Amino acid sequence: MAELNIVLHEPEIPANTGNIGRTCVATGTKLHLIEPLGFSLSEKHLKRAGMDYWKDLDVTVYENWEDFCKRNPGAKIYYATTKGRHVYSDVHYEPDCFIMFGKESAGIPEEILKANPDTCVRIPMIGETRSLNLSNSVAIVLYEALRQNDFDHMKLEGQLHRLSWDD
């Protein structure tokens, strides 16, 4: 079973993290938050964006990058960055990999990227666009990883409430 992981390195905007938390619940994905956070986990904007899903979220908080590395030794990590050498859809995401995103104002620290050039991925954009919204970026890359893993354990078909598709 695919057990993907989203990592947010020092996220700053509670609404983004709330939206990402909701996406993680909807996909059975674990969320990892690396401090310092730009908000409190009890902040109302975080809960509002995550709606009533936040209570169902599998979330782990780490003191810093070193704490994350120590508690996840040998983890396969993909680093989503505008500086990446590879397009996010051109790599293969293992069923238990971690996909890391940096803080909204600065991204992932360059020393981390420099140490991991082969697993840095980017979402293509035109011109000099600085970046996409963090929660949108997470959704784009996460759903590609889920697609590559055949949407393992996910509901693949919807149902009408009052009619059947054959009516």
Side-chain angles (χ1 to χ4, degrees), residues 26 32 62 77 132 150 156:
H32 304 262
Y62 302 87
I77 306 171
L132 295 173
D150 299 318
L156 298 178

Side-chain angles (χ1 to χ4, degrees), residues 38-162:
F39 50 86
S40 163
L41 288 178
S42 63
E43 192 160 330
K44 71 177 181 177
H45 298 296
L46 177 76
K47 304 288 187 190
R48 183 180 304 144
M51 297 183 66
D52 56 346
Y53 297 97
W54 195 260
K55 66 183 176 10
D56 299 319
L57 179 62
D58 184 350
V59 61
T60 304
V61 180
Y62 302 87
E63 185 178 323
N64 52 37
W65 172 242
E66 292 74 23
D67 181 35
F68 172 83
C69 292
K70 180 178 160 188
R71 291 167 59 187
N72 296 285
K76 177 67 175 198
I77 306 171
Y78 294 93
Y79 304 86
T81 172
T82 58
K83 300 163 183 78
R85 295 179 177 176
H86 307 285
V87 174
Y88 77 98
S89 57
D90 289 342
V91 300
H92 172 71
Y93 298 94
E94 296 80 359
D96 59 347
C97 71
F98 291 71
I99 307 167
M100 186 166 118
F101 298 80
K103 62 182 167 184
E104 291 88 342
S105 65
I108 298 170
E110 288 198 359
E111 57 271 10
I112 295 172
L113 300 177
K114 188 171 170 129
N116 300 283
D118 294 334
T119 53
C120 289
V121 298
R122 67 176 283 113
I123 299 169
M125 295 178 284
I126 61 170
E128 296 302 314
T129 306
R130 199 169 58 248
S131 65
L132 295 173
N133 172 274
L134 179 61
S135 61
N136 292 337
S137 297
V138 168
I140 289 168
V141 180
L142 175 58
Y143 267 87
E144 173 61 18
L146 290 164
R147 184 195 67 78
Q148 289 184 16
N149 284 278
D150 299 318
F151 297 107
D152 186 31
H153 75 279
M154 297 180 75
K155 184 176 177 181
L156 298 178
E157 190 174 301
Q159 186 175 344
L160 297 172
H161 291 285
R162 297 183 184 165

